[in-house]
Amino acid sequence: MSGPTYPTTRRRTRLDAQFDRIRAREEAGLAKSGGGSRAVKKFLNNRLAVFGLIVFAIIILSSIFAPLLTPYDPNKIDLRGMLQAPSWEHWFGTDRTGRDLFARVLYGGRISILVGLGSAILAAIIGVLIGVYTGYVGGWLDALAMRVSEIFMSFPQIILVLMLVSIMGQSLVNLMLIFTLTGWGGIYRMARARMLSLREEEYVLALRSFGLSRPLIAYKHMLPNALGPIMVNITLSTAAFILQEAGLSFLGLGVPLSIPTWGNILNVAQDIRVLQTNWWIWLPVGMVISLFVLSVNFIGDGLRDATDPSQQG
Amino acid sequence: MLTYIIRRVLILIPMAFVICFLVYLGLELTPGDAVSHMINPDAAGSMNPTQLEALRQSLGLGQPFHVRFWSWFTNLLQGNFGYSMSGGVPIANIIATRLPATLELAAVALVFSTLIGSLLGVLSALKRGSKTDSALTVIGMLGVSIPEFFFGLVAISIFALNLGWFPVGGRSMPGYVTLWDRLPHMVMPAMVLSIMLTAGVMRYARSSMLDALSRDFIKTARSKGLPEWRVNLLHGFRVALTPVVVLIGFRLPVLIGGSVIIEQVFQWPGIGNEFISAVRSQDYPVVMTIALLSVMAVLVASLIVDILTAVIDPRVRLGE
């Protein structure tokens, strides 16, 4: 066991092979310099991230072009065709009122992705607007923003969301507002922390001595240097919001049931008979949600590795 | 050390107070007051406004906002959380009957996810870059990507409906009360909840272990000629696990959130289940009280985590 030292006993991994290939290319004088950003190349080298990107694109595109992919209306009730198992006519079968489930999954994707991505972007805008400025300026404003975010973040998220749903009532817009309200804290903290370290950079000192106004320094000159982690955060919170929408709608407390969303399709699976005999109602849509969230998470991870080398594991 | 603890507690108190105030504000803003829920709508229609007003006055609802808040708040401190709108049961009683079920599930899930998560995380760190590592990373990703309720549905469909190994839901059959009788009911919800939590612990354990393995003392241990397993287990593992165990406190919000949904899927008669039905029936006092208690639990847990971290790592106390 007391054999040779660490580097030589280590088994060769995929990274080693990759490194050797790069070295061989360099020695042959073929190493490309320039041409495409380094982060993009790194992202495209990450297999899982590319897989995520492809799945993500497929699901988003098929939701957007839903009318081209299915002739059915997601809300059209057909009582003669209730609870049909998947067939050539209805790829995912039909539900209890005879609505075509494939159409519902496609059109439902529009709303679910809108809620997830929309709330994530709104939350990011608010979090970044507050975090970048207060992080740069500091002082009482910073302390106040920090306390407020602490209060929001000390609630378990789902509890706060459900509490607000019970106060504000159920609607699509309300749900997005609630997600924004409960989700800005994370990205605010990240933006603020980034600003605290950027604040000490020399270029900021230079800008300040030129007499630039504080918002201009913070938003125009410092913010671009924090974009990487912000993008990562947006993707990861999109995934989280889509999961939450699905969970809430499954409980019947998310988007109103009249609007098809992924969670609303799953709502009927609370009925044990549906669970037992009509697997096609809940299984495919559950898998679509999982696959979509997985792809978003892979993209987020790939972005993190590509933009922030210190986080790489 | 004592001053550090005192300082942390002093930061906590105003925050807890502000949260109580916000929750009370939410309670005031929601439609209806105590009177409208004490009388059924038919009777309320036949009562004249002066009678209603008299009832309001007798309950202290005519007093100014700050007086009402203060009496609510002092009651809260004495463990008197008010009454549920449906049935008028004291909320404290509801909590007392529901809490054990939730704690039971949470404790099992916490223990399992910590054990499995840290083992897998450390394994993945030791085999960094290998097939095992990538497989575990993908599995961990799946764990955070599959909706927990969907996972529960799949489990029910396979193990309860098709195989019939476990009951579909609930905590016990009527008339059977011993732990042994309840065990089959607990297996599925506890497993689903643990698996959901495991992914997070695993990721954290992996990075913590990688961090530990890159330290100088590992190189020293290795250059002393210690066998590899001793270096990894005795020197790396021990250091890596301390933060993992301490940070379990921070998993509490995830645990609470997860159990709200899991309890619903498996009809587990816990606090989360009660919370959902209160939200559905717009029983605001119950909603607010449970929310308040969960925040307090999170605050106390984070306080304990802070103190434990300071005990382990003196640099934390001196900084800040």
Side-chain angles (χ1 to χ4, degrees):
Chain A
M1 284 303 252
S2 59
T5 50
Y6 177 63
T8 47
T9 55
R10 194 168 60 101
R11 281 187 52 206
R12 274 176 61 86
T13 64
R14 201 158 65 75
L15 281 177
D16 291 323
Q18 199 179 343
F19 196 71
D20 284 350
R21 273 203 305 280
I22 294 170
R23 193 181 285 159
R25 229 185 306 157
E26 263 174 6
E27 279 166 5
L30 290 170
K32 281 180 287 179
S33 57
S37 129
R38 193 192 174 119
V40 171
K41 258 191 267 168
K42 226 170 150 189
F43 183 84
L44 292 178
N45 258 332
N46 184 336
R47 282 190 236 172
L48 292 176
V50 173
F51 166 80
L53 202 60
I54 293 171
V55 173
F56 179 81
I58 292 175
I59 295 180
I60 283 223
L61 289 177
S62 43
S63 289
I64 293 175
F65 297 111
L68 300 178
L69 293 171
T70 174
Y72 295 99
D73 177 343
N75 290 318
K76 184 151 181 297
I77 293 172
D78 174 14
L79 292 178
R80 275 173 300 172
M82 282 172 7
L83 291 176
Q84 285 180 5
S87 62
W88 270 115
E89 223 166 304
H90 299 284
W91 290 2
F92 285 4
T94 58
D95 67 4
R96 281 201 285 203
T97 48
R99 294 174 294 195
D100 180 64
L101 279 163
F102 185 62
R104 283 180 75 71
V105 170
L106 291 187
Y107 285 96
R110 290 183 173 182
I111 307 291
S112 290
I113 296 170
L114 172 79
V115 170
L117 200 60
S119 323
I121 290 176
L122 278 177
I125 291 175
I126 294 182
V128 166
L129 275 182
I130 301 176
V132 165
Y133 190 67
T134 59
Y136 172 58
V137 178
W140 67 270
L141 205 60
D142 183 41
L144 179 72
M146 198 64 191
R147 285 289 100 78
V148 174
S149 84
E150 262 171 18
I151 288 174
F152 272 97
M153 292 181 77
S154 55
F155 281 89
Q157 197 161 15
I158 197 127
I159 299 266
L160 185 57
V161 168
L162 281 170
M163 201 172 114
L164 291 172
V165 166
S166 83
I167 295 175
M168 291 166 67
Q170 270 175 264
S171 83
L172 190 63
V173 177
N174 277 0
L175 193 67
M176 287 179 71
L177 284 180
I178 290 170
F179 280 163
T180 309
L181 204 60
T182 56
W184 67 277
I187 200 156
Y188 152 78
R189 288 203 174 180
M190 199 255 341
R192 175 180 176 269
R194 196 87 186 89
M195 282 300 131
L196 288 185
S197 65
L198 284 178
R199 192 159 73 172
E200 311 300 328
E201 300 263 338
E202 277 172 6
Y203 78 96
V204 176
L205 186 66
L207 289 171
R208 204 158 42 204
S209 55
F210 282 146
L212 263 63
S213 75
R214 290 198 290 195
L216 197 65
I217 297 179
Y219 292 124
K220 189 170 174 208
H221 296 279
M222 291 169 77
L223 177 58
N225 286 318
L227 272 185
I230 291 171
M231 292 299 295
V232 174
N233 205 305
I234 291 179
T235 45
L236 296 181
S237 47
T238 302
F241 288 143
I242 286 180
L243 283 179
Q244 281 186 25
E245 184 274 325
L248 290 177
S249 299
F250 167 71
L251 297 174
L253 295 167
V255 179
L257 273 175
S258 55
I259 305 171
T261 71
W262 287 340
N264 277 343
I265 301 173
L266 274 165
N267 183 271
V268 288
Q270 285 197 50
D271 183 344
I272 213 84
R273 274 170 307 163
V274 170
L275 200 59
Q276 191 158 23
T277 51
N278 311 118
W279 57 269
W280 61 87
I281 295 184
W282 55 273
L283 195 62
V285 67
M287 284 161 71
V288 170
I289 299 177
S290 309
L291 206 59
F292 187 76
V293 173
L294 187 70
S295 76
V296 174
N297 277 331
F298 278 149
I299 294 175
D301 247 30
L303 278 179
R304 171 163 45 212
D305 289 350
T307 56
D308 184 3
S310 66
Q311 286 281 326
Q312 209 155 22
Chain B
M1 192 63 221
L2 193 65
T3 51
Y4 176 79
I5 295 177
I6 291 173
R7 206 169 54 196
R8 294 295 316 172
V9 173
L10 285 182
I11 295 175
L12 200 68
I13 288 174
M15 210 163 117
F17 185 76
V18 171
I19 288 173
C20 284
F21 180 76
L22 288 178
V23 166
Y24 185 73
L25 203 63
L27 208 52
E28 286 277 319
L29 289 176
T30 49
D33 59 21
V35 171
S36 54
H37 303 290
M38 283 170 70
I39 310 163
N40 71 45
D42 297 333
S46 63
M47 277 174 88
N48 64 44
T50 45
Q51 276 176 307
L52 281 176
E53 198 47 46
L55 195 56
R56 286 216 165 87
Q57 289 298 340
S58 72
L59 287 167
L61 293 176
Q63 284 166 328
F65 178 78
H66 64 271
V67 178
R68 276 176 291 149
F69 169 67
W70 192 249
S71 81
W72 176 83
F73 184 69
T74 45
N75 270 326
L76 197 70
L77 291 184
Q78 292 161 11
N80 180 3
F81 301 129
Y83 297 88
S84 157
M85 283 179 179
S86 48
V89 190
I91 296 175
N93 290 3
I94 297 180
I95 305 265
T97 52
R98 296 287 190 138
L99 194 60
T102 296
L103 289 182
E104 188 176 285
L105 204 58
V108 174
L110 209 55
V111 170
F112 266 93
S113 62
T114 309
L115 284 179
I116 300 171
S118 44
L119 278 180
L120 290 181
V122 165
L123 182 72
S124 151
L126 287 179
K127 305 216 166 214
R128 181 184 185 182
S130 70
K131 287 225 168 60
T132 321
D133 183 26
S134 347
L136 282 174
T137 311
V138 173
I139 292 174
M141 260 322 191
L142 273 172
V144 291
S145 300
I146 299 177
E148 52 230 303
F149 67 91
F150 179 62
F151 200 70
L153 291 179
V154 172
I156 291 180
S157 156
I158 296 176
F159 297 109
L161 297 175
N162 285 325
L163 295 175
W165 290 356
F166 303 111
V168 170
R171 192 182 175 204
S172 63
M173 303 282 266
Y176 294 87
V177 283
T178 61
L179 186 65
W180 185 244
D181 294 326
R182 291 209 313 259
L183 207 58
H185 290 264
M186 199 154 75
V187 174
M188 278 204 301
M191 281 304 117
V192 172
L193 197 54
S194 320
I195 290 172
M196 289 297 139
L197 288 171
T198 301
V201 179
M202 190 173 94
R203 275 187 105 149
Y204 194 80
R206 179 178 182 272
S207 64
S208 168
M209 184 71 184
L210 282 179
D211 183 50
L213 286 180
S214 68
R215 303 269 194 82
D216 283 343
F217 62 81
I218 292 287
K219 279 183 205 140
T220 312
R222 215 172 250 132
S223 57
K224 275 198 308 190
L226 286 183
E228 197 65 11
W229 65 270
R230 277 195 74 123
V231 175
N232 287 334
L233 290 186
L234 296 186
H235 296 255
F237 193 61
R238 227 175 47 190
V239 176
L241 273 204
T242 326
V244 173
V245 173
V246 165
L247 275 160
I248 286 169
F250 283 143
R251 313 280 311 149
L252 194 66
V254 186
L255 183 63
I256 292 176
S259 51
V260 167
I261 289 185
I262 293 298
E263 284 181 8
Q264 189 66 25
V265 172
F266 291 96
Q267 290 304 313
W268 187 260
I271 298 265
N273 204 336
E274 178 68 32
F275 185 68
I276 297 282
S277 46
V279 171
R280 280 200 181 129
S281 60
Q282 307 203 307
D283 192 341
Y284 299 114
V286 176
V287 172
M288 297 302 181
T289 309
I290 294 179
L292 191 62
L293 289 180
S294 71
V295 182
M296 293 306 148
V298 171
L299 286 182
V300 171
S302 69
L303 177 73
I304 294 173
V305 168
D306 280 350
I307 292 173
L308 279 181
T309 327
V311 170
I312 293 166
D313 187 350
R315 283 172 301 179
V316 175
R317 280 176 278 195
L318 300 174
E320 217 185 36

